[in-house]
Amino acid sequence: MADTGSTGSDRTTEARTPDTRASEAFDLLGNETRLSILLAIWEEQIPLPDGNPVPFSRIFDRVDLDDRGNVSYHLEQLEEQFITQRTERGGYELLIPGLKLVRTIVAGTGVKDATLEPTEIDQPCPFCDAPTEITYREGFVFLICTECKGAAPGMADTDGALNGFPCEPAGLSDRSPEQLHAASITTKLQQGRSLFNGVCPTCSGAVDGQLDFCPDHDPADGCEHCGLRYGTFARFQCRICKHFDLQNPGWLPLFHPAVISFYDDHGISIRAQADDFESACRVYSLIYDHEWERLSEESPCIAVTASRDGDEIRLTFDETVSVVNVQR
């Protein structure tokens, strides 16, 4: 993972704690009119560098208030944190925090209770080769083995769960179960690569990586200590928004350019696309083809090996999930 420590820069953020900033933001948004204003600007604005600032008159027409002064007051409260006024261009635009807020709301609107009943897809279980099913509930896409206990028999609340990927309800719209699987793998790769490189995919904050080991791991029937089939996993967490991800080591090589080149030399693409089910299945299978080992009981490092046609590449990761050695 990239070094996210201090760089000695003179640039600083405002001296307020995350709790203070969050409280102020919730206070600002605890008003129906202000949320309506943000939505009105979002509906009118083209979010591009040369986009179209939304005139006050258009905002006023969309907000359920008769007092122009009242609308102006709420616009002023939202300025600097969620919107900005482009006086020279005659209107208002959403700032990045405002844009993210509205997008988050819109992503769940109308599909609040979205679910997908378990549906079989053509992705064999990496452990027992049995058929798998995909399902969606409570904001997660689950891939489930129909026969074995899956990857987390002692932890997951879904029998046979192999993976659980966060997904906004909007992700189900206009997608078949196969397309949903492809989209979830594609998103996992994108977010995993961002975390591995030290950038939070949610807020762009700094990310800490750590290798964790179950001290008394028993993989036989679901470890009673960690609940996982594997006793080694990589943990990533954003220092700001607490975006969190837990990955088995098989994912890690896919984020390194040397491994991308290795597979390319063997005619294998590790790019997954949301509209390409076969690409998602290929990438998912590669994850479980990788072999990993802890270098010693005293060492917090692991080595992960990818093999193809008698050729192999071996990456060594230290305790911060940073690559410290590549051998081919």
Side-chain angles (χ1 to χ4, degrees), residues 34 48 108 134 166 222 244 255 310 318:
R34 292 173 193 168
L48 297 173
I134 190 171
F244 174 86
F255 309 140
D318 68 11

Side-chain angles (χ1 to χ4, degrees), residues 152-227:
M155 189 171 78
D157 60 357
T158 300
D159 291 340
L162 296 166
N163 289 100
F165 302 125
C167 178
E168 297 289 352
L172 276 70
S173 299
D174 301 321
R175 284 195 174 114
S176 66
E178 290 78 10
Q179 290 170 332
L180 180 60
H181 178 59
S184 66
I185 295 295
T186 301
T187 301
K188 175 73 172 181
L189 274 174
Q190 292 173 340
Q191 293 191 351
R193 183 173 292 111
S194 183
L195 291 165
F196 180 76
N197 288 325
V199 180
C200 175
T202 298
C203 76
S204 302
V207 172
D208 293 315
Q210 177 181 327
L211 285 177
D212 284 345
F213 304 91
C214 178
D216 299 301
H217 190 63
D218 179 10
D221 197 26
C223 178
E224 64 179 16
H225 303 286
C226 68

Side-chain angles (χ1 to χ4, degrees), residues 9-301:
S9 171
D10 291 330
R11 291 175 294 178
T12 59
T13 55
E14 193 171 345
R16 293 178 295 161
T17 66
D19 286 348
T20 300
R21 292 195 297 270
S23 295
E24 291 174 355
F26 283 124
D27 285 343
L28 282 174
L29 298 171
N31 181 288
E32 184 177 346
T33 298
R34 292 173 193 168
L35 291 174
S36 297
I37 287 172
L38 293 176
L39 184 59
I41 296 174
W42 178 79
E43 289 175 340
E44 294 280 341
Q45 178 188 341
I46 300 174
L48 297 173
D50 58 348
N52 56 326
V54 183
F56 176 87
S57 59
R58 294 291 297 163
I59 298 171
F60 181 73
D61 289 344
R62 284 180 166 273
V63 177
D64 189 23
L65 286 176
D66 297 327
D67 187 340
R68 297 174 70 90
N70 200 353
V71 175
S72 295
Y73 166 76
H74 288 297
L75 282 166
E76 290 174 3
Q77 298 304 302
L78 291 169
E79 281 192 61
E80 297 186 3
Q81 190 158 355
F82 294 104
I83 67 174
T84 186
Q85 185 178 12
R86 304 294 187 191
T87 306
E88 74 284 358
R89 299 173 65 187
Y92 295 84
E93 293 179 345
L94 293 174
L95 295 172
I96 293 299
L99 190 59
K100 285 188 173 183
L101 174 68
V102 176
R103 284 173 173 168
T104 299
I105 294 172
V106 171
T109 300
V111 284
K112 180 179 179 182
D113 299 323
T115 58
L116 173 67
E117 293 301 315
T119 304
E120 186 172 323
I121 61 174
D122 189 17
Q123 172 76 75
C125 172
F127 302 119
C128 70
D129 208 35
T132 61
E133 295 177 336
I134 190 171
T135 184
Y136 180 87
R137 59 181 175 82
E138 298 179 350
F140 279 83
V141 175
F142 290 99
L143 186 65
I144 303 168
C145 179
T146 56
E147 294 186 14
C148 77
K149 294 187 177 182
M155 189 171 78
D157 60 357
T158 300
D159 291 340
L162 296 166
N163 289 100
F165 302 125
C167 178
E168 297 289 352
L172 276 70
S173 299
D174 301 321
R175 284 195 174 114
S176 66
E178 290 78 10
Q179 290 170 332
L180 180 60
H181 178 59
S184 66
I185 295 295
T186 301
T187 301
K188 175 73 172 181
L189 274 174
Q190 292 173 340
Q191 293 191 351
R193 183 173 292 111
S194 183
L195 291 165
F196 180 76
N197 288 325
V199 180
C200 175
T202 298
C203 76
S204 302
V207 172
D208 293 315
Q210 177 181 327
L211 285 177
D212 284 345
F213 304 91
C214 178
D216 299 301
H217 190 63
D218 179 10
D221 197 26
C223 178
E224 64 179 16
H225 303 286
C226 68
L228 301 172
R229 183 183 287 264
Y230 302 115
T232 303
F233 46 93
R235 183 189 303 272
F236 296 98
Q237 183 166 323
C238 174
R239 298 176 190 172
I240 306 300
C241 74
K242 298 185 180 180
H243 180 112
F244 174 86
D245 196 19
L246 201 67
Q247 299 175 359
N248 83 48
W251 285 92
L252 301 179
L254 300 182
F255 309 140
H256 196 277
V259 176
I260 296 174
S261 177
F262 171 82
Y263 278 120
D264 187 60
D265 289 345
H266 289 275
I268 300 171
S269 170
I270 61 171
R271 180 188 179 194
Q273 296 178 268
D275 60 352
D276 186 349
F277 177 67
E278 289 185 3
S279 72
C281 292
R282 179 178 64 250
V283 170
Y284 189 77
S285 296
L286 287 176
I287 294 163
Y288 292 95
D289 285 344
H290 296 155
E291 299 179 354
W292 60 88
E293 61 177 339
R294 187 173 182 175
L295 297 186
S296 72
E297 288 299 321
E298 295 74 29
S299 171
C301 300

